[in-house]
Amino acid sequence: MNDPTDLINQLRVAIASVLKEMDLDVSLGRIVMERPKSSDHGDYACNIAMQIARELKRNPREVASQVVSRLSADTLIKKSEVAGPGFINLFLSDSCHQGVIQEVLKAGSNFGRSSIGQGQHIQVEFVSANPTGPLHVGHGRGAAYGASIANLLEAVGYAVSREYYVNDAGRQMDILAASTWLRYLELFGHKVPFPSKGYQGDYVSMMAAAIKTQDGSRYNLDSIESKVDWEKGNDDEQIIDRWIDVAKTHLGASYRVIHSYVLKQQLGQCRAELTAFGVDFDCWFSEQSLFDEGKIETVIRDLDQKGYLYLKEGATWFRSTEFGDEKDRVVRRDNDIYTYFASDIAYHVDKFKRGFDTVINIWGADHHGYIPRVRAALAALGVFDLESDRLRIPLIQFAVLYRDGKKLAMSTRSGEFVTLEELRDEVGRDAARFFYIYRKSDQHLDFDLDLAKAQNNENPVYYIQYAHARCASILAKSEQNVDELTNVNVSDLTQSDEFDLMRSLADFPLIIQSASRELSPHSVAFYLKDLAGLLHSYYNATQILSGDERLIQSRLALVAAVKQVIKNGLSLIGVDAPERM
């Protein structure tokens, strides 16, 4: 497996050795290598001379010149020079550049991977949408981002568990169950006013019809209209709560049947759609299990024993302000019902008890206020220190669809939303997955449906996939056995655009490292677009299959390496690499 830091470490060692000859003992960690914006300024630039010049009270260019004069050309460094106020620009030898081609071809699908994570266990929890309706385009962004993050972490050696938290115990499921029952009653001729806060999508009516087909009139109640005080309730929320109470009271044990049915239906559709979207989970964790196994009671008791709870106006409050939160939080209401926050505390305690070294929660941006209170509770329970990075919570901003330049509406309750399935059917899974992660997760995403469907160079995913297909076409036309290219001598590759491609290939492992560390899959997408651009330019400027046979073989090896890296990168973000387009 390729070591992405080996080359940079060798360069650091070379400069450290020279500094030692100058009686300067500098740690390798201080010697930073960066890619200059232009290859005219070298393959790597180092600012160590400017750092130590300040300490030595000497001119940085003078120090840099001394380092350069002692750096001898070898198989690694072709030449070095001083630039600007004291940068040391390093130009790698041709053989160093060319060597990456064989590294890629030998490593194949493993190129870019590493063992940095050393098998540490990381849980990535994402999507976790309430199972109260079809997944919509907002959920799709979290799904694409979370799946890509999990792939990246696995690529650098972590043991990753993908988890979906099923909110099957809360009020929203009660609203869905009551909404379905009301639609069911309508099928028997009841004239019941449907509450504005109920779920109104067609899928609710479809579930009601399915229940009637399955169980007939079992849940039909004669004269239900006369048994309900329609005028009771001061606002829409109170009205829907009253309907929930009516359903539970009048249906009795049958209410749980309807509740279980709608949960099973929506969760099943959710699983199926995520699988079709290329997203699978290792664990579907039930919120209800926290109640059934007494885990919520346990954490609330532990907080109380530690002195972090108090009573106020009949409710139980957690002193989260003692841990940096802006205000204290209710964990149990005055009606003795636990809050969502209480469930969240128990869920996160359970995560760490399962042995995860790090937990990553991918939440919507509207949940940003929950971060300090969850961290406060875990710190109060001694799970970790308040400053610990064992819990990381990247936020996903909203995704807005545009068609013909017009914004599309989206509302789960009203049923006026674009489902993830509809998006996938319209633009394809690959385009959806790519466009979702093409922006940083904390930036708003304007999803242009017309661009996502375009089959031209303006569409970035098409542009990248076409580069892969173009490589495949070249190799197929050559009738070359790709496996035989592993040992081809590529010393004839000396064009500037060939070196640009080789530099880009060498950067891929570092891109994966950085993207996994910063939880930023968009950087992989940007990298692939740049690599595709270099490949297209090279193809347009070079007759790859013309000329000397040895040169053709070298160029085919380069093309095969580019093809492999594009495929490796696309697989990490859940996008296919087609052989032809």
Side-chain angles (χ1 to χ4, degrees), residues 205-448:
S205 297
M206 292 172 64
M207 287 192 297
I211 291 173
K212 181 183 178 184
T213 299
Q214 176 179 294
D215 294 335
S217 61
R218 178 179 174 184
Y219 314 111
N220 180 32
L221 299 181
D222 293 334
S223 304
I224 184 66
E225 295 92 338
S226 64
K227 299 176 182 178
V228 179
D229 181 3
W230 303 112
E231 303 301 323
K232 186 178 180 181
N234 299 323
D235 56 39
D236 292 338
E237 294 292 348
Q238 289 183 353
I239 291 172
I240 188 62
D241 283 341
R242 178 163 53 85
W243 266 112
I244 293 171
D245 289 339
V246 168
K248 290 180 177 179
T249 300
H250 289 274
L251 287 173
S254 292
Y255 174 78
R256 295 310 306 174
V257 177
I258 293 178
H259 187 285
S260 297
Y261 177 84
V262 298
L263 172 62
K264 182 179 179 181
Q265 289 297 113
Q266 292 308 308
L267 200 56
Q269 291 179 18
C270 175
R271 286 175 185 258
E273 177 51 38
L274 287 169
T275 296
F277 197 50
V279 178
D280 293 301
F281 291 88
D282 302 299
C283 178
W284 294 73
F285 190 96
S286 165
E287 178 188 8
Q288 185 62 46
S289 70
L290 297 172
F291 288 88
D292 296 342
E293 298 172 19
K295 293 180 178 179
I296 299 176
E297 292 179 9
T298 297
V299 296
I300 298 304
R301 183 188 64 239
D302 290 347
L303 284 171
D304 191 28
Q305 290 177 346
K306 291 176 179 292
Y308 293 122
L309 299 183
Y310 64 91
L311 291 175
K312 178 182 176 183
E313 298 176 352
T316 303
W317 295 70
F318 166 53
R319 303 180 191 276
S320 55
T321 50
E322 294 189 18
F323 298 89
D325 196 8
E326 61 183 5
K327 61 182 181 179
D328 292 344
R329 307 291 177 177
V330 176
V331 291
R332 187 164 48 207
R333 301 185 182 93
D334 55 5
N335 59 3
D336 284 337
I337 296 177
Y338 289 114
T339 62
Y340 285 121
F341 177 44
S343 299
D344 283 339
I345 298 172
Y347 178 44
H348 284 81
V349 169
D350 183 83
K351 288 186 181 197
F352 286 102
K353 282 187 175 180
R354 281 185 269 160
F356 293 111
D357 300 296
T358 302
V359 166
I360 298 174
N361 295 342
I362 296 172
W363 287 354
D366 54 333
H367 285 73
H368 66 91
Y370 282 82
I371 298 176
R373 69 187 73 170
V374 170
R375 294 188 66 88
L378 294 175
L381 290 166
V383 176
F384 53 57
D385 294 333
L386 199 57
E387 295 77 21
S388 172
D389 61 356
R390 293 186 64 200
L391 175 64
R392 300 179 66 181
I393 307 180
L395 297 176
I396 302 291
Q397 282 289 353
F398 301 106
V400 179
L401 292 185
Y402 285 84
R403 182 185 287 115
D404 298 325
K406 297 179 180 179
K407 180 180 177 180
L408 302 183
M410 185 172 68
S411 170
T412 308
R413 288 275 181 89
S414 68
E416 297 175 0
F417 57 86
V418 177
T419 67
L420 180 57
E421 180 181 11
E422 290 170 332
L423 175 68
R424 182 171 51 80
D425 287 344
E426 180 167 352
V427 305
R429 188 181 81 179
D430 288 342
R433 289 286 298 261
F434 187 92
F435 272 71
Y436 272 134
I437 61 99
Y438 197 46
R439 287 275 183 275
K440 290 181 66 175
S441 65
D442 59 0
Q443 295 178 349
H444 283 276
L445 173 64
D446 292 338
F447 196 120
D448 188 332

Side-chain angles (χ1 to χ4, degrees), residues 463-478:
Y463 188 65
I464 295 167
Q465 288 182 316
Y466 187 58
H468 182 271
R470 174 164 272 173
C471 291
S473 176
I474 294 169
L475 293 167
K477 188 176 180 180
S478 73

